[in-house]
Amino acid sequence: MELLVAYEQDPAGHNMAKFISKRMKKDGDIYRGKNFDLVIIPTPAISADWLEEKYHYDGFVFLSKHAAQSGELALTCHSTGNFDAAQFGGNNRQVAVPHPHLQKSYLQTLWKNKDAFSEFQITIEATHHGPTALNKPAIFIEIGTTEKQWTDESLCNSVANLVLQTLSGPIATNPVAICFGGTHYPEKFTKELIEGKHALGTVIPKHALEFLDESLFSHILDRNRAKTALLDWGGLGSHKQKVIDLIRDADMEMIKL
């Protein structure tokens, strides 16, 4: 069973959680449901590495706001982790266990309903921020990009309803791939999730490839247990050969996008 998690002072996450909790029964600090439970926590979601000490579930789905300096409106989802120093929660050079099948199902559900969100970019983000220490799959589902959207209850309810749709039915299992290259908003990997056969694990963008070495690569493999690597072939920069060598040494299937 999954645990949905929202930070009480995150307006978008809290709004989504309020909508979902209306259909649930409160039991102490947990809202109980048929396919998942929900909790509203007093500390920021990006620092929730402590969750497993208190809550024992098969996976964690964080409901959250999304912020971007560009101000471009976006509905996003992503796995978590830090490839270098931890600036926004989690630990240095640690990635969380991704939630690839749930992510693919949610993004496909969101895409099918894209006409209801015509002002928004629908995209995944590269892996970033905490928490990173959880040993069960974790994913962030986010509403962006300014306070106007975060406090728009109608918008938050609409996205929350898609989360409910995703979690209410069976979630298909797909071959999982780790992704290398591209930007923070990786178009090729987003397209693969929507149209392709792969679910995605950790997504390492071009700007983080400089931190990739054998130790970090081994850790990422351990957290993903994937046999395939997807490469944004034109978005690997000067680290292309290093990435190729690491993938070949790990005897992974390599697919160029």
Side-chain angles (χ1 to χ4, degrees), residues 8-77:
E8 64 183 9
Q9 293 187 36
D10 176 333
H14 197 209
N15 276 332
M16 285 190 276
K18 281 194 301 181
F19 176 81
I20 293 171
S21 68
K22 289 177 183 178
R23 310 176 183 209
M24 306 176 80
K25 183 177 180 180
K26 194 168 187 188
D27 176 15
D29 62 341
I30 296 177
Y31 293 89
R32 303 287 183 185
K34 180 180 178 182
N35 300 308
F36 58 85
D37 291 346
L38 180 149
V39 66
I40 298 172
I41 60 174
T43 58
I46 62 172
S47 303
D49 295 272
W50 55 268
L51 272 179
E52 284 178 319
E53 297 171 15
K54 187 172 182 181
Y55 304 108
H56 305 287
Y57 286 84
D58 298 320
F60 300 96
V61 180
F62 293 91
L63 308 173
S64 175
K65 67 181 182 182
H66 165 73
Q69 289 183 341
S70 68
E72 182 175 358
L73 300 185
L75 300 176
T76 74
C77 56

Coordinates of all heavy atoms in Angstrom, one line a residue, residues 8-77:
E8 N 2.2 20.3 5.5 CA 1.0 21.2 5.9 C 1.2 22.6 5.5 O 0.2 23.3 5.3 CB 0.8 21.1 7.4 CG 1.9 21.6 8.3 CD 1.7 21.5 9.8 OE1 0.7 20.8 10.1 OE2 2.4 22.0 10.6
Q9 N 2.4 23.1 5.3 CA 2.6 24.5 4.9 C 2.9 24.6 3.4 O 3.3 25.7 2.9 CB 3.7 25.1 5.7 CG 3.4 25.3 7.2 CD 4.4 26.0 8.0 OE1 5.0 27.0 7.5 NE2 4.6 25.6 9.2
D10 N 2.8 23.6 2.6 CA 2.9 23.6 1.2 C 1.5 23.8 0.6 O 0.7 22.8 0.7 CB 3.5 22.3 0.7 CG 3.6 22.2 -0.8 OD1 2.8 22.8 -1.5 OD2 4.5 21.5 -1.3
P11 N 1.1 24.9 0.1 CA -0.3 25.2 -0.3 C -0.8 24.2 -1.3 O -1.9 23.7 -1.2 CB -0.3 26.6 -0.8 CG 1.2 26.9 -1.1 CD 2.0 26.1 -0.2
A12 N 0.0 23.9 -2.3 CA -0.5 23.0 -3.4 C -0.6 21.6 -2.8 O -1.6 20.9 -3.1 CB 0.5 23.0 -4.6
G13 N 0.4 21.1 -2.1 CA 0.3 19.7 -1.6 C -0.8 19.6 -0.6 O -1.6 18.6 -0.6
H14 N -1.0 20.6 0.3 CA -2.1 20.6 1.3 C -3.4 20.6 0.6 O -4.4 19.9 1.1 CB -1.9 21.8 2.3 CG -2.6 21.6 3.5 ND1 -3.1 22.7 4.3 CD2 -3.0 20.5 4.2 CE1 -3.8 22.2 5.3 NE2 -3.7 20.9 5.3
N15 N -3.6 21.4 -0.4 CA -4.9 21.5 -1.1 C -5.2 20.1 -1.8 O -6.4 19.7 -1.7 CB -4.8 22.6 -2.2 CG -5.2 23.9 -1.6 OD1 -5.9 24.1 -0.7 ND2 -4.7 25.0 -2.3
M16 N -4.2 19.5 -2.4 CA -4.5 18.2 -3.0 C -4.8 17.2 -1.9 O -5.8 16.4 -2.0 CB -3.2 17.7 -3.7 CG -3.0 18.4 -5.1 SD -1.7 17.6 -6.1 CE -0.3 18.4 -5.4
A17 N -4.1 17.2 -0.8 CA -4.4 16.3 0.3 C -5.8 16.5 0.9 O -6.5 15.6 1.3 CB -3.3 16.5 1.4
K18 N -6.2 17.8 1.1 CA -7.5 18.1 1.6 C -8.6 17.5 0.7 O -9.6 16.9 1.2 CB -7.7 19.6 1.7 CG -7.1 20.2 2.9 CD -7.6 21.6 3.2 CE -7.4 22.5 2.0 NZ -7.9 23.9 2.2
F19 N -8.4 17.6 -0.6 CA -9.4 17.0 -1.5 C -9.5 15.5 -1.4 O -10.6 14.9 -1.3 CB -9.1 17.4 -2.9 CG -10.0 16.8 -4.0 CD1 -11.2 17.4 -4.2 CD2 -9.6 15.7 -4.7 CE1 -12.1 16.8 -5.2 CE2 -10.4 15.2 -5.6 CZ -11.6 15.7 -5.9
I20 N -8.3 14.9 -1.4 CA -8.3 13.4 -1.3 C -8.8 12.9 0.0 O -9.5 11.9 0.1 CB -6.9 12.9 -1.6 CG1 -6.5 13.3 -3.1 CG2 -6.7 11.4 -1.3 CD1 -5.0 13.0 -3.4
S21 N -8.5 13.6 1.1 CA -8.8 13.1 2.4 C -10.3 13.1 2.7 O -10.8 12.4 3.6 CB -8.1 13.9 3.5 OG -8.6 15.3 3.5
K22 N -11.1 13.9 1.9 CA -12.5 14.0 2.1 C -13.2 12.6 1.9 O -14.2 12.3 2.5 CB -13.1 15.0 1.1 CG -12.8 16.4 1.4 CD -13.4 17.3 0.4 CE -13.0 18.8 0.7 NZ -13.5 19.7 -0.4
R23 N -12.5 11.7 1.2 CA -13.1 10.4 0.9 C -12.5 9.3 1.8 O -12.8 8.2 1.6 CB -12.8 10.0 -0.6 CG -13.1 11.1 -1.6 CD -12.7 10.7 -3.0 NE -13.0 11.7 -3.9 CZ -13.3 11.5 -5.2 NH1 -13.3 10.3 -5.7 NH2 -13.5 12.5 -6.0
M24 N -11.8 9.8 2.8 CA -11.1 8.8 3.7 C -11.5 9.0 5.1 O -12.1 10.0 5.5 CB -9.5 9.0 3.5 CG -9.1 9.0 2.1 SD -7.3 9.4 1.9 CE -6.6 7.8 2.3
K25 N -11.1 8.0 5.9 CA -11.5 8.0 7.3 C -10.2 8.3 8.2 O -9.2 7.6 8.0 CB -12.0 6.6 7.7 CG -12.5 6.5 9.2 CD -13.1 5.2 9.5 CE -13.6 5.1 10.9 NZ -14.2 3.8 11.2
K26 N -10.3 9.2 9.0 CA -9.1 9.6 9.8 C -8.9 8.6 11.0 O -9.9 8.3 11.7 CB -9.2 11.0 10.3 CG -7.8 11.5 10.9 CD -7.8 13.0 11.1 CE -6.4 13.5 11.4 NZ -6.4 14.9 11.9
D27 N -7.7 8.2 11.2 CA -7.3 7.3 12.2 C -6.0 7.8 12.9 O -4.9 7.5 12.4 CB -7.1 5.9 11.6 CG -6.6 4.8 12.7 OD1 -6.7 5.1 13.9 OD2 -6.2 3.8 12.3
G28 N -6.2 8.6 13.9 CA -5.0 9.2 14.5 C -4.5 10.3 13.5 O -5.3 11.2 13.1
D29 N -3.3 10.2 13.1 CA -2.7 11.2 12.2 C -2.8 10.7 10.7 O -2.4 11.4 9.8 CB -1.3 11.6 12.5 CG -0.3 10.4 12.5 OD1 -0.8 9.3 12.5 OD2 0.9 10.7 12.4
I30 N -3.4 9.5 10.5 CA -3.4 8.9 9.2 C -4.8 8.9 8.7 O -5.8 8.6 9.4 CB -2.8 7.5 9.2 CG1 -1.3 7.5 9.6 CG2 -3.0 6.8 7.8 CD1 -0.7 6.2 9.7
Y31 N -5.0 9.3 7.4 CA -6.3 9.1 6.7 C -6.2 7.7 6.0 O -5.3 7.5 5.2 CB -6.5 10.2 5.7 CG -6.7 11.5 6.3 CD1 -5.6 12.4 6.6 CD2 -8.0 12.0 6.6 CE1 -5.8 13.6 7.1 CE2 -8.2 13.3 7.2 CZ -7.1 14.1 7.4 OH -7.3 15.3 8.0
R32 N -7.2 6.9 6.3 CA -7.2 5.5 5.8 C -8.0 5.4 4.5 O -9.1 5.9 4.4 CB -7.7 4.5 6.8 CG -7.0 4.5 8.1 CD -5.7 3.9 8.1 NE -5.0 3.8 9.4 CZ -3.8 3.4 9.6 NH1 -3.1 2.9 8.5 NH2 -3.2 3.4 10.8
G33 N -7.5 4.7 3.5 CA -8.2 4.4 2.3 C -8.1 3.0 1.8 O -7.4 2.2 2.5
K34 N -8.7 2.7 0.7 CA -8.7 1.3 0.2 C -7.4 0.9 -0.4 O -6.9 -0.2 -0.1 CB -9.9 1.1 -0.8 CG -10.0 -0.3 -1.3 CD -11.1 -0.4 -2.3 CE -11.2 -1.8 -2.9 NZ -12.3 -1.9 -4.0
N35 N -6.9 1.8 -1.3 CA -5.7 1.5 -2.0 C -4.5 2.2 -1.5 O -3.3 1.9 -1.9 CB -5.9 1.8 -3.5 CG -7.0 1.0 -4.1 OD1 -7.1 -0.2 -4.0 ND2 -8.0 1.7 -4.8
F36 N -4.7 3.2 -0.7 CA -3.6 4.0 -0.1 C -4.0 4.7 1.1 O -5.2 4.8 1.4 CB -3.1 5.0 -1.2 CG -4.2 5.9 -1.6 CD1 -4.5 7.1 -0.9 CD2 -4.9 5.6 -2.8 CE1 -5.5 7.9 -1.3 CE2 -6.0 6.5 -3.2 CZ -6.3 7.6 -2.5
D37 N -3.1 5.1 1.9 CA -3.3 6.0 3.1 C -2.7 7.4 2.8 O -2.0 7.5 1.8 CB -2.7 5.4 4.3 CG -3.5 4.2 4.8 OD1 -4.6 3.9 4.3 OD2 -2.9 3.4 5.7
L38 N -3.0 8.3 3.6 CA -2.5 9.7 3.4 C -2.2 10.3 4.8 O -2.8 10.0 5.8 CB -3.6 10.5 2.8 CG -3.3 12.0 2.5 CD1 -4.1 12.5 1.2 CD2 -3.7 12.9 3.6
V39 N -1.1 11.1 4.8 CA -0.7 11.8 6.0 C -0.2 13.2 5.6 O 0.4 13.4 4.6 CB 0.4 11.0 6.8 CG1 1.7 11.0 5.9 CG2 0.7 11.6 8.1
I40 N -0.6 14.1 6.5 CA -0.1 15.5 6.3 C 0.9 15.7 7.4 O 0.7 15.6 8.6 CB -1.3 16.5 6.5 CG1 -2.3 16.2 5.4 CG2 -0.8 18.0 6.4 CD1 -3.6 17.0 5.5
I41 N 2.2 16.1 7.0 CA 3.3 16.1 7.9 C 3.7 17.6 8.3 O 3.4 18.5 7.5 CB 4.5 15.4 7.3 CG1 5.0 16.0 6.0 CG2 4.2 13.9 7.2 CD1 6.3 15.4 5.5
P42 N 4.3 17.8 9.4 CA 4.6 19.1 9.9 C 6.0 19.6 9.4 O 6.3 20.8 9.8 CB 4.6 18.9 11.4 CG 5.1 17.5 11.6 CD 4.5 16.7 10.5
T43 N 6.7 18.8 8.7 CA 8.0 19.2 8.2 C 8.1 19.2 6.7 O 7.3 18.4 6.1 CB 9.1 18.3 8.8 OG1 8.9 17.0 8.4 CG2 9.2 18.4 10.3
P44 N 9.0 19.9 6.1 CA 9.0 19.9 4.6 C 9.2 18.5 4.0 O 10.0 17.7 4.5 CB 10.2 20.8 4.3 CG 10.3 21.8 5.5 CD 9.9 20.9 6.6
A45 N 8.5 18.3 2.9 CA 8.6 17.0 2.2 C 10.0 16.7 1.7 O 10.4 15.5 1.8 CB 7.6 17.0 1.0
I46 N 10.7 17.7 1.3 CA 12.1 17.4 0.8 C 13.0 16.9 1.9 O 14.1 16.4 1.6 CB 12.7 18.6 0.1 CG1 12.8 19.8 1.0 CG2 11.9 19.0 -1.1 CD1 13.6 21.0 0.4
S47 N 12.6 17.1 3.1 CA 13.5 16.7 4.3 C 12.9 15.5 5.0 O 13.2 15.2 6.2 CB 13.7 17.8 5.2 OG 14.3 18.9 4.6
A48 N 12.0 14.8 4.4 CA 11.2 13.7 5.0 C 11.9 12.4 5.0 O 11.3 11.3 4.8 CB 9.8 13.6 4.4
D49 N 13.2 12.4 5.2 CA 14.0 11.1 5.2 C 13.6 10.3 6.4 O 13.9 9.1 6.5 CB 15.5 11.4 5.2 CG 16.0 12.1 4.0 OD1 16.3 11.4 3.0 OD2 16.0 13.3 3.9
W50 N 12.9 10.9 7.4 CA 12.5 10.2 8.6 C 11.3 9.3 8.5 O 10.9 8.6 9.4 CB 12.3 11.2 9.7 CG 11.3 12.3 9.3 CD1 11.6 13.5 8.7 CD2 9.9 12.2 9.5 NE1 10.4 14.2 8.5 CE2 9.4 13.4 8.9 CE3 9.0 11.3 10.0 CZ2 8.0 13.7 8.9 CZ3 7.6 11.6 10.0 CH2 7.1 12.8 9.4
L51 N 10.6 9.4 7.4 CA 9.2 8.9 7.2 C 9.2 7.4 7.6 O 8.2 6.9 8.3 CB 8.7 9.0 5.8 CG 7.9 10.3 5.5 CD1 7.5 10.3 4.0 CD2 6.7 10.5 6.4
E52 N 10.2 6.6 7.2 CA 10.1 5.2 7.4 C 10.3 4.8 8.9 O 10.0 3.7 9.2 CB 11.2 4.5 6.5 CG 10.8 4.4 5.1 CD 11.8 3.7 4.2 OE1 13.0 4.0 4.4 OE2 11.5 2.9 3.4
E53 N 10.8 5.7 9.6 CA 10.9 5.4 11.1 C 9.5 5.4 11.7 O 9.3 4.7 12.7 CB 11.7 6.5 11.8 CG 13.2 6.6 11.3 CD 13.9 7.8 11.8 OE1 13.3 8.5 12.8 OE2 14.9 8.2 11.3
K54 N 8.6 6.0 11.1 CA 7.2 6.1 11.7 C 6.1 5.4 10.9 O 5.2 4.9 11.4 CB 6.8 7.6 11.9 CG 5.5 7.8 12.6 CD 5.3 9.3 12.9 CE 4.0 9.5 13.7 NZ 3.8 10.9 14.0
Y55 N 6.3 5.5 9.6 CA 5.3 4.9 8.7 C 5.9 3.8 7.8 O 6.9 4.0 7.1 CB 4.7 6.0 7.8 CG 4.2 7.2 8.6 CD1 4.8 8.4 8.6 CD2 3.0 7.1 9.3 CE1 4.4 9.5 9.3 CE2 2.5 8.2 10.0 CZ 3.2 9.4 10.0 OH 2.7 10.5 10.7
H56 N 5.2 2.7 7.8 CA 5.7 1.5 7.1 C 4.8 1.2 5.9 O 3.7 0.6 6.1 CB 5.9 0.3 8.0 CG 6.7 0.6 9.2 ND1 8.1 0.8 9.2 CD2 6.4 0.9 10.5 CE1 8.5 1.1 10.3 NE2 7.5 1.2 11.2
Y57 N 5.2 1.6 4.7 CA 4.4 1.4 3.5 C 5.3 0.8 2.4 O 6.5 0.8 2.5 CB 3.8 2.7 3.1 CG 2.6 3.1 4.0 CD1 2.9 3.8 5.2 CD2 1.3 2.8 3.7 CE1 1.8 4.1 6.1 CE2 0.3 3.1 4.5 CZ 0.5 3.8 5.7 OH -0.5 4.1 6.6
D58 N 4.6 0.5 1.3 CA 5.3 -0.1 0.1 C 6.0 1.0 -0.7 O 6.9 0.8 -1.5 CB 4.4 -0.9 -0.8 CG 3.8 -2.1 0.0 OD1 4.6 -2.7 0.7 OD2 2.6 -2.4 -0.2
G59 N 5.5 2.3 -0.6 CA 6.0 3.4 -1.4 C 5.4 4.7 -0.9 O 4.4 4.7 -0.1
F60 N 6.0 5.8 -1.3 CA 5.6 7.1 -0.9 C 5.4 8.0 -2.1 O 6.2 8.1 -3.0 CB 6.7 7.7 0.0 CG 7.0 6.9 1.3 CD1 8.0 6.0 1.3 CD2 6.2 7.1 2.4 CE1 8.3 5.2 2.4 CE2 6.4 6.3 3.5 CZ 7.5 5.4 3.5
V61 N 4.2 8.7 -2.1 CA 3.8 9.6 -3.1 C 3.7 11.0 -2.5 O 2.8 11.2 -1.7 CB 2.5 9.2 -3.8 CG1 2.1 10.2 -4.9 CG2 2.6 7.8 -4.3
F62 N 4.6 11.9 -2.8 CA 4.6 13.2 -2.2 C 3.8 14.2 -3.1 O 4.0 14.3 -4.3 CB 6.0 13.7 -2.1 CG 6.9 13.0 -1.1 CD1 7.6 11.9 -1.5 CD2 6.9 13.4 0.2 CE1 8.4 11.2 -0.6 CE2 7.6 12.7 1.2 CZ 8.4 11.6 0.8
L63 N 2.8 14.9 -2.5 CA 2.0 15.9 -3.2 C 2.6 17.2 -2.9 O 2.8 17.6 -1.7 CB 0.6 15.8 -2.7 CG -0.1 14.4 -2.8 CD1 -1.4 14.4 -2.1 CD2 -0.1 13.9 -4.2
S64 N 3.0 18.0 -3.9 CA 3.8 19.2 -3.7 C 3.6 20.3 -4.7 O 3.1 20.1 -5.8 CB 5.3 18.7 -3.7 OG 6.2 19.8 -3.6
K65 N 4.1 21.5 -4.3 CA 4.1 22.6 -5.2 C 5.4 22.4 -6.1 O 6.3 21.7 -5.7 CB 4.2 23.9 -4.5 CG 5.5 24.1 -3.6 CD 5.4 25.4 -2.9 CE 6.7 25.6 -2.1 NZ 6.7 26.9 -1.3
H66 N 5.4 23.1 -7.2 CA 6.6 23.2 -8.1 C 6.9 24.6 -8.3 O 6.0 25.4 -8.6 CB 6.3 22.5 -9.4 CG 7.3 22.8 -10.5 ND1 8.6 22.3 -10.5 CD2 7.2 23.6 -11.6 CE1 9.2 22.8 -11.5 NE2 8.4 23.5 -12.2
A67 N 8.2 25.0 -8.1 CA 8.6 26.4 -8.4 C 9.6 26.4 -9.4 O 10.4 25.5 -9.6 CB 9.1 27.0 -7.1
A68 N 9.7 27.5 -10.2 CA 10.7 27.6 -11.3 C 10.9 29.1 -11.5 O 10.0 29.9 -11.5 CB 10.3 27.0 -12.5
Q69 N 12.2 29.5 -11.7 CA 12.5 30.9 -11.9 C 11.9 31.4 -13.2 O 11.5 32.6 -13.3 CB 14.0 31.1 -12.0 CG 14.7 30.9 -10.6 CD 16.2 31.2 -10.7 OE1 16.8 31.1 -11.7 NE2 16.8 31.4 -9.5
S70 N 11.7 30.5 -14.2 CA 11.1 31.0 -15.4 C 9.7 31.4 -15.3 O 9.2 32.2 -16.1 CB 11.2 29.8 -16.4 OG 10.3 28.8 -16.1
G71 N 9.0 30.9 -14.3 CA 7.6 31.2 -14.1 C 6.7 30.4 -15.0 O 5.4 30.6 -15.0
E72 N 7.2 29.6 -15.9 CA 6.4 28.8 -16.9 C 5.5 27.8 -16.1 O 6.0 27.1 -15.2 CB 7.3 28.1 -17.9 CG 6.4 27.3 -18.9 CD 7.3 26.7 -20.0 OE1 8.5 26.9 -19.9 OE2 6.7 26.0 -20.8
L73 N 4.2 27.8 -16.4 CA 3.3 26.9 -15.7 C 3.6 25.5 -16.1 O 3.8 25.2 -17.3 CB 1.9 27.3 -16.1 CG 1.4 28.7 -15.8 CD1 -0.1 28.9 -16.1 CD2 1.7 29.0 -14.3
A74 N 3.7 24.6 -15.1 CA 4.0 23.2 -15.4 C 3.3 22.3 -14.3 O 3.2 22.7 -13.2 CB 5.5 23.0 -15.3
L75 N 3.0 21.1 -14.8 CA 2.6 20.0 -14.0 C 3.6 19.0 -14.1 O 3.9 18.5 -15.3 CB 1.2 19.5 -14.4 CG 0.0 20.5 -14.3 CD1 -1.3 19.9 -14.9 CD2 -0.2 21.0 -12.9
T76 N 4.2 18.6 -13.1 CA 5.4 17.7 -13.1 C 5.4 16.6 -12.2 O 4.6 16.5 -11.3 CB 6.7 18.6 -12.8 OG1 6.7 18.8 -11.4 CG2 6.7 19.9 -13.5
C77 N 6.3 15.6 -12.4 CA 6.6 14.6 -11.5 C 8.0 14.1 -11.6 O 8.6 14.3 -12.7 CB 5.6 13.4 -11.6 SG 5.6 12.6 -13.3

